[in-house]
Amino acid sequence: MRVEDLNINELVEFDSEDGMVRFAGQRALIIDATAKGNLRKELIEHFGVTAARAVLTRFGFVQGWRMAEAMQELFQWEKLEDWSHACGRVHMLEGMYRIEPGSPGSLTKEGLTLVGSYEAEQHIAHVGRSDAPVCWTICGLMSGYLSRAVGKEIYVLEEKCIGKGDAACHLLGRTREEWGNERAHELDFFHQQKLADWLEPSLHRTTETLREAEKKLRAKKRLLARAVHEVEDPLGVIMLSPAMRKVVDLARRVAMVDSALLITGESGTGKELVAHLVHDASARAAGPFIAVNCGAITETLLESELFGHARGSFTGASQDRPGLFEAANGGTLLLDEIGEVSRGIQVKLLRALQEHEVRRVGENKSRPVNVRVIAATNRELSAEIDAGRFRKDLYYRLNVVQLHVPPLRERREDLLPLARVLLLETSRRLKRPPTGLAPRAADQILRYEWPGNVRELQNALERAVALGRSKRIELEDLPEEVRQAVPVPTLSGAVRSLGEVEKEYILAALAANGGNRMRTAKQLSIGTATLYRKLVQYGSIRKGQGGRDKD
């Protein structure tokens, strides 16, 4: 039979009763191309490009070798050219690619030109455009096939590839000697002994990364157990208050879908921590989590930071550089302070979110990206839209799900547990002794409003740890504004009369001022005589007892 007479209908057999598929007389499997694309992506993410290429090339080589054995049992071609022509055609019939019309079809002479390579297509879809050829399995298939068919080692490499932006894939088969030294390093990918050399360091790095992550998680759990026994969340999120429990519950639910998320809240409330929680609870947890503060970078630099740039696109661009969208491929990108982004960058962000592709600065080609975008802001974006500073279409694209992180003053149940965790973390980092809060210090922490939220609390505790003289944080170790705070009225239990609330508040203010009635009256915006009458009424002083204010 001539090579041109090879027919897919004669090579493939379907046995519906036994559930068997045979190709060229050998049992075969029907595998979804997208599934193999996902496998490629995971191999690259977990083991790196070099190890992934070695695995897929070697897999193809073994499969091609076995195919040649099966073909030799069916056909008796004697010429190398027949086997070379058959190599290109039989793998086309398997669905690997389509041969460009007019291509000579001889891998060992002119080479073979392919269009519609499934492997290049899947690499672009799952990983993005490459700077080097990516049809690793196909090259392995053809190399294994030819090596077995002709009885000597033939290595097929790509000279052009759709996966790196060429119009078609061009493959050429040569012996090791014919390839020479220029591409000799690529031939190692075909050999089994080299596979272990590349996989072992990758596995070692992965193992070490897992061990380090487990070590940090164990340390975090021990820290939480020492600080507050009520915390059950494995990620260490303090959520004793109903408001924070609601946030964490919503974060876990939205993590199950791949929708865009907008996290709002005052500065320092822990929006990035919530974004981490969403990422770690999602299917993208194995992928990268990259955060960028959009407000800290100028417009020109932000475009390059997000989308990358081509060499020579501006002064100082000495080489091609991928942006954060490409770096976060397969994972999550947090755009913090999204309200600070200029309208020019907003347009480019909108296109990236809609088309799932980015264009580097100075390039005219787009690169597909597979990224979940989480945006965070402390601004009221609806007001920014009304003021013409934020695009409405981008707002709707980002705000598929909105998650509001409440300030500390609205979740006071979390204050002391959070303070204790932060105190232990700070003490361990600074290698200082304080491990707890004195009662007066804890009480004063509850009284303060914390306008800077978690960030301000952390800074206050770091100051206290640095200046503290004992194993406990005392009242005098806290910042002045915290020490001067008066209790914040809260509603718990039965409703009390205004007189009771007023009495409690005035006496607490007086205590906070060390008994200085003049300073207390000034803070309460009442006269000293009024304060005097109320103190007499409360029984704190006797009528006619003037006394002297303490300085």
Side-chain angles (χ1 to χ4, degrees):
M1 178 187 290
R2 298 183 308 162
V3 174
E4 291 79 4
D5 295 330
L6 287 174
N7 189 299
I8 185 68
N9 296 322
E10 296 174 352
L11 289 174
V12 178
E13 302 173 57
F14 294 97
D15 188 339
S16 57
E17 292 184 2
D18 293 336
M20 299 281 282
V21 180
R22 293 181 177 83
F23 189 91
Q26 303 298 314
R27 183 172 183 177
L29 302 174
I30 298 176
I31 299 176
D32 179 63
T34 303
K36 290 196 73 173
N38 273 303
L39 174 62
R40 166 185 291 253
K41 181 189 73 170
E42 293 188 10
L43 285 171
I44 291 173
E45 288 176 352
H46 292 295
F47 303 111
V49 173
T50 301
R53 179 176 179 179
V55 170
L56 294 176
T57 302
R58 184 62 193 167
F59 169 76
F61 189 92
V62 173
Q63 184 179 348
W65 185 282
R66 182 71 190 104
M67 177 58 67
E69 288 181 337
M71 297 289 289
Q72 285 177 328
E73 294 176 6
L74 297 176
F75 306 105
Q76 302 299 319
W77 298 310
E78 296 180 357
K79 296 180 180 179
L80 173 61
E81 286 306 305
D82 288 335
W83 285 105
S84 180
H85 278 285
C87 181
R89 183 165 178 80
V90 73
H91 295 309
M92 181 188 73
L93 295 178
E94 287 182 306
M96 300 286 180
Y97 48 75
R98 182 166 58 88
I99 299 176
E100 185 179 63
S103 178
S106 175
L107 277 164
T108 54
K109 287 189 176 180
E110 304 89 349
L112 195 63
T113 301
L114 314 178
V115 292
S117 162
Y118 97 91
E119 197 165 14
E121 169 194 287
Q122 291 300 317
H123 189 96
I124 291 174
H126 293 281
V127 183
R129 189 162 293 171
S130 173
D131 296 325
V134 300
C135 294
W136 307 325
T137 307
I138 293 174
C139 287
L141 280 169
M142 294 181 171
S143 301
Y145 178 96
L146 287 176
S147 297
R148 178 66 177 87
V150 303
K152 63 179 180 179
E153 292 182 341
I154 302 289
Y155 300 101
V156 177
L157 297 176
E158 281 186 286
E159 297 186 308
K160 294 181 180 180
C161 182
I162 296 172
K164 69 181 187 70
D166 295 321
C169 300
H170 186 75
L171 287 74
L172 188 63
R174 293 279 187 266
T175 63
R176 181 179 289 273
E177 293 73 22
E178 289 171 335
W179 280 119
N181 295 326
E182 184 178 354
R183 303 187 70 176
H185 65 285
E186 295 184 64
L187 306 186
D188 290 337
F189 287 104
F190 297 90
H191 293 284
Q192 184 177 4
Q193 60 269 27
K194 288 291 184 180
L195 182 59
D197 295 339
W198 279 311
L199 278 180
E200 186 175 351
S202 299
L203 289 170
H204 179 72
R205 285 195 303 271
T206 302
T207 303
E208 289 301 313
T209 301
L210 288 173
R211 286 176 179 170
E212 188 64 26
E214 289 176 354
K215 182 179 177 182
K216 290 180 179 179
L217 184 58
R218 285 195 299 268
K220 185 73 173 178
K221 286 182 175 180
R222 286 196 300 267
L223 194 66
L224 288 171
R226 290 173 57 194
V228 51
H229 301 290
E230 299 92 334
V231 178
E232 299 176 354
D233 184 72
L235 297 175
V237 180
I238 306 297
M239 52 173 192
L240 299 181
S241 65
M244 204 59 193
R245 286 185 183 276
K246 183 178 179 181
V247 169
V248 172
D249 177 65
L250 182 57
R252 284 173 171 159
R253 281 189 286 151
V254 76
M256 297 299 102
V257 296
D258 218 20
S259 303
L261 173 65
L262 177 64
I263 304 176
T264 61
E266 296 179 8
S267 179
T269 51
K271 297 187 289 294
E272 185 170 342
L273 178 64
V274 173
H276 262 293
L277 191 155
V278 172
H279 171 76
D280 292 339
S282 72
R284 295 177 176 269
F289 177 91
I290 297 179
V292 56
N293 188 333
C294 299
I297 308 174
T298 62
E299 179 179 357
T300 305
L301 291 178
L302 182 60
E303 182 178 3
S304 172
E305 191 76 9
L306 291 175
F307 307 115
H309 62 254
R311 184 176 61 182
S313 56
F314 54 83
T315 303
S318 57
Q319 60 183 8
D320 291 348
R321 181 178 180 275
L324 295 181
F325 268 93
E326 292 179 70
N329 210 24
T332 303
L333 177 62
L334 172 63
L335 301 176
D336 201 5
E337 304 299 346
I338 189 67
E340 307 288 339
V341 173
S342 69
R343 288 185 66 86
I345 299 294
Q346 290 176 31
V347 175
K348 295 178 173 63
L349 279 175
L350 180 63
R351 184 181 183 280
L353 292 171
Q354 288 177 335
E355 306 298 330
H356 302 287
E357 60 183 25
V358 295
R359 185 175 296 172
R360 293 180 183 177
V361 177
E363 282 190 346
N364 57 5
K365 62 181 180 181
S366 297
R367 301 170 183 266
V369 289
N370 176 22
V371 175
R372 179 182 192 162
V373 173
I374 298 178
T377 181
N378 59 9
R379 292 192 177 191
E380 184 60 54
L381 291 186
S382 57
E384 296 294 303
I385 292 172
D386 294 339
R389 291 188 291 266
F390 202 85
R391 293 179 62 95
K392 185 182 295 186
D393 46 6
L394 178 59
Y395 173 74
Y396 290 135
R397 177 64 63 174
L398 293 170
N399 193 30
V400 177
V401 178
Q402 185 174 139
L403 205 161
H404 180 72
V405 184
L408 275 182
R409 62 181 175 275
E410 294 179 9
R411 46 185 174 111
R412 291 191 173 273
E413 298 94 329
D414 297 334
L415 250 176
L416 284 184
L418 180 60
R420 292 182 179 118
V421 171
L422 293 175
L423 176 61
L424 287 175
E425 287 180 345
T426 304
S427 299
R428 188 176 58 178
R429 178 167 51 85
L430 298 182
K431 299 179 180 179
R432 297 281 289 174
T435 56
L437 296 168
R440 291 183 63 199
D443 186 55
Q444 206 60 26
I445 285 174
L446 288 172
R447 290 179 175 184
Y448 188 55
E449 286 284 305
W450 299 107
N453 296 293
V454 180
R455 190 175 295 120
E456 184 184 7
L457 175 61
Q458 186 172 20
N459 290 342
L461 291 172
E462 183 169 342
R463 175 191 184 277
V465 170
L467 301 180
R469 296 178 179 177
S470 67
K471 291 186 177 181
R472 293 193 310 177
I473 299 300
E474 302 292 343
L475 178 61
E476 55 268 21
D477 298 327
L478 297 174
E480 176 69 20
E481 60 272 16
V482 180
R483 296 199 304 269
Q484 296 298 326
V486 292
V488 179
T490 58
L491 182 62
S492 59
V495 177
R496 295 183 297 163
S497 67
L498 287 176
E500 291 176 340
V501 175
E502 182 187 68
K503 175 183 176 180
E504 181 182 315
Y505 195 84
I506 288 175
L507 293 178
L510 185 66
N513 285 305
N516 190 313
R517 295 198 293 267
M518 186 177 295
R519 187 189 304 161
T520 303
K522 183 177 180 181
Q523 289 180 348
L524 295 173
S525 299
I526 60 176
T528 52
T530 303
L531 177 60
Y532 173 78
R533 287 195 302 272
K534 289 185 178 293
L535 292 176
V536 171
Q537 179 185 341
Y538 301 152
S540 299
I541 59 174
R542 294 191 303 273
K543 189 173 183 181
Q545 181 184 355
R548 298 179 64 182
D549 282 335
K550 298 179 182 179
D551 294 329

